[in-house]
């Protein structure tokens, strides 16, 4: 008798494939057939794990959001002067983006076409607002320039952070980890810590009062 191929996919491994396909094709351009072919399993096997592709979208986005909101609960994001907390949040947000790159990329590409995307955009605004409050407090403390609107400063800051998703490639980062090599043009920095530090120094050089 022929051997029946067993479904060896787990919810996490299936999610990883789905997020990759969503990022390549766009969520609206992805069908269950596309997911089935990418995973190498039948559509019925996928339905064994999830109700449909929107559940996969929500799980992928939730992974990114959970990582970002967890940053706001870290001790260094909750204690000390506002400007120091803001720098910590900035640094850690970069690190989360780079560690969870496919999931954060998916989050950044939602456009509000489904209930899940509308929910995700609302959560993103909540995160931005909490960071903007830190900016306001740091300005009130005299540590940041008061002549730059807090919401505008927050948007500019996240514009810089979010752009990392467009050019950072982990495979290049690993290749460029050797210090005796000259990185190719446009290659990623070797560690998330280096990129995070560069963002903090660049952004706060123009925002800090001293």
């Amino acid at each position: 008798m022929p051997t029946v191929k067993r479904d060896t996919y787990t919810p996490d491994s299936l999610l990883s494939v789905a997020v990759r396909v969503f990022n390549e094709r766009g969520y609206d351009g992805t069908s269950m057939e596309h997911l089935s072919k990418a995973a190498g399993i039948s559509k019925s096997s996928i339905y064994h794990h999830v109700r449909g592709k929107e559940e996969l979208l929500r799980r992928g986005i939730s992974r990114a959001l959970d990582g970002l909101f967890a940053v706001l609960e870290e001790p260094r994001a909750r204690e000390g002067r506002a400007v120091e907390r803001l720098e910590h949040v900035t640094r850690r947000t970069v690190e989360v983006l780079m560690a969870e790159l496919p999931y954060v990329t998916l989050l950044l590409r939602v456009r509000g076409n489904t209930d899940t995307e509308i929910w995700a955009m609302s959560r993103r605004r909540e995160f931005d607002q909490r960071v903007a409050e830190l900016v306001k407090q740091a300005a009130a403390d005299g540590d940041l320039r008061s002549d730059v609107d807090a919401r505008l400063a927050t948007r500019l800051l996240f514009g810089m952070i979010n752009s990392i998703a467009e050019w950072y490639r982990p495979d290049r980062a690993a290749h460029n980890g050797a210090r005796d090599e000259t990185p190719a043009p446009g290659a990623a920095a070797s560690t998330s810590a280096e990129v995070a530090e560069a963002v903090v120094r660049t952004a706060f050089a123009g925002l800090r009062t001293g």
Side-chain angles (χ1 to χ4, degrees), residues 7-210:
D7 176 14
T8 58
Y9 265 79
T10 66
D12 283 344
S13 59
L14 177 60
L15 177 62
S16 178
V17 172
V19 169
R20 173 174 58 80
V21 177
F22 290 155
N23 284 334
E24 290 173 352
R25 302 185 60 88
Y27 175 73
D28 292 336
T30 300
S31 67
M32 291 298 289
E33 185 69 26
H34 292 133
L35 295 177
S36 172
K37 288 181 178 179
I41 58 177
S42 66
K43 286 189 283 188
S44 61
S45 293
I46 294 177
Y47 285 120
H48 174 73
H49 293 292
V50 296
R51 291 186 296 272
K53 72 170 190 174
E54 188 162 358
E55 182 177 340
L56 287 166
L57 176 68
R58 190 177 185 96
R59 288 186 183 185
I61 289 172
S62 293
R63 178 161 165 169
L65 287 168
D66 289 348
L68 293 172
F69 274 91
V71 168
L72 299 178
E73 302 306 318
E74 293 175 355
R76 293 185 62 186
R78 297 172 61 87
E79 302 167 1
R81 292 185 70 82
V83 68
E84 294 170 351
R85 293 159 58 196
L86 179 61
E87 287 189 353
H88 175 77
V89 169
T90 300
R91 184 176 286 104
R92 290 287 294 119
T93 297
V94 173
E95 292 173 348
V96 168
L97 183 151
M98 296 174 73
E100 303 286 358
L101 183 62
Y103 303 92
V104 178
T105 298
L106 182 63
L107 171 63
L108 296 176
R109 292 179 179 176
V110 299
R111 294 293 179 266
N113 295 329
T114 67
D115 289 342
T116 294
E117 291 179 281
I118 292 171
W119 163 79
M121 293 176 71
S122 174
R123 291 285 282 162
R124 276 186 61 186
R125 285 193 295 271
E126 180 185 347
F127 183 83
D128 291 352
Q129 288 167 0
R130 289 182 63 176
V131 176
E133 288 301 316
L134 280 178
V135 175
K136 288 180 184 177
Q137 184 59 55
D141 293 342
D143 293 320
L144 292 185
R145 292 172 53 171
S146 58
D147 59 339
V148 178
D149 179 76
R151 289 192 177 185
L152 175 59
T154 304
R155 288 181 181 136
L156 292 172
L157 181 60
F158 279 108
M160 183 187 302
I161 294 171
N162 295 342
S163 71
I164 296 170
E166 301 302 320
W167 57 261
Y168 175 73
R169 296 296 177 267
D171 55 340
R172 291 181 184 175
H175 176 74
N176 292 327
R179 297 299 181 183
D180 58 345
E181 295 182 6
T182 300
S190 59
T191 68
S192 61
E194 289 178 356
V195 177
E197 187 61 27
V199 169
V200 169
R201 290 188 180 188
T202 302
F204 288 89
L207 288 173
R208 270 188 175 271
T209 54

